[in-house]
Amino acid sequence: MAKLRQKNPRTVRQAEEVRGLEHLSMDVAVNFSKGAQLSNHIHNVCAEAKEAIYTREDDVKFWLEKGVDGSMFEVLPQTSDLPDLQRCKLCADRWKPCICSYSLSIEWYPCMLKYCKSRDAGGKVSSYKCGIRSCQKGYTFDYYVPQKQLCLWDEETQSQ
C-alpha cells in the first residue's frame, strides 16, 4: 500500500466500510519503567500517563509466551472481585474506586487494497490495484481507577 499515492490528499474522506465498535476490558496495569520491553515507543507515547498504562489479560499472555518479564504486570480488581464497583459515570463519590470508560473513533484509515477490473482487446477480464479501501472503527476501553477523580471525562459521556 505504501506505493499507492493518494489523489487529492487534502480532501476530507468518508470511510467506505464501517467496522463497528469493539469493547475492550483493560484489566492489567503495566509498570511504566519496565514498559520498554513491550515497545520502544511506550516512553514517548505514554510519558504523561506513567502511572496509568493498561492492557488486556490476553495481551499479557501473549507477551509472557514471548519471554517478557511478568513482574511488570499487575492484575487490576474486577467487577466480580468487588461487587460494589460501579461505572464512574454512575458513581457519586469522587474518591471511590470505579470502572472508567474511554471511547475512541478512528474515522478513516486505509484498511486494504482496492481492485478494479478491466477488459483487454481480446475481451479477457483482468484485475489490477486501483486504490485503497478505507474503513472506520470505534473502540471503548474500560479500566479500573482507584478513585473517580482520575476519570472525570466519563461524566461528560452519554450513559450506555
Side-chain angles (χ1 to χ4, degrees), residues 41-159:
H41 303 290
I42 283 183
H43 287 282
N44 293 332
V45 176
C46 302
E48 292 182 31
K50 291 179 184 178
E51 302 299 320
I53 302 173
Y54 303 98
T55 190
R56 299 176 308 151
E57 200 168 338
D58 290 343
D59 296 326
V60 171
K61 289 176 187 173
F62 171 80
W63 286 318
L64 292 175
E65 289 173 5
K66 299 289 182 193
V68 170
D69 176 17
S71 69
M72 79 169 71
F73 303 112
E74 176 192 346
V75 176
L76 297 169
Q78 302 300 305
T79 310
S80 58
D81 301 335
L82 302 168
D84 295 344
L85 200 59
Q86 298 181 292
R87 295 202 162 274
C88 291
K89 65 179 133 201
L90 302 175
C91 185
D93 184 354
R94 290 188 182 218
W95 302 104
K96 195 173 178 183
C98 55
I99 300 294
C100 188
S101 288
Y102 184 78
S103 294
L104 171 71
S105 179
I106 301 170
E107 295 299 319
W108 188 97
Y109 68 97
C111 55
M112 64 184 80
L113 289 173
K114 189 186 299 184
Y115 290 91
C116 297
K117 295 183 183 202
S118 66
R119 291 186 186 267
D120 62 13
K124 183 179 175 187
V125 176
S126 63
S127 62
Y128 62 96
K129 296 176 200 170
C130 61
I132 299 173
R133 185 167 178 79
S134 59
C135 294
Q136 176 187 20
K137 180 90 174 134
Y139 297 92
T140 298
F141 302 95
D142 289 343
Y143 55 96
Y144 170 86
V145 288
Q147 50 190 255
K148 180 181 179 173
Q149 198 71 3
L150 300 170
C151 184
L152 296 179
W153 60 83
D154 211 6
E155 291 179 343
E156 299 168 8
T157 60
Q158 302 171 7
S159 46

Side-chain angles (χ1 to χ4, degrees), residues 5-43:
R5 291 201 184 7
Q6 183 178 341
K7 293 179 185 173
N8 306 317
R10 291 184 188 3
T11 304
V12 176
R13 310 252 179 227
Q14 295 284 56
E16 297 168 84
E17 179 182 331
V18 177
R19 292 201 167 173
L21 179 69
E22 192 171 342
H23 195 96
L24 301 169
S25 180
M26 310 306 278
D27 44 13
V28 179
V30 178
N31 182 323
F32 181 77
S33 63
K34 297 180 181 179
Q37 292 181 45
L38 303 177
S39 170
N40 295 330
H41 303 290
I42 283 183
H43 287 282

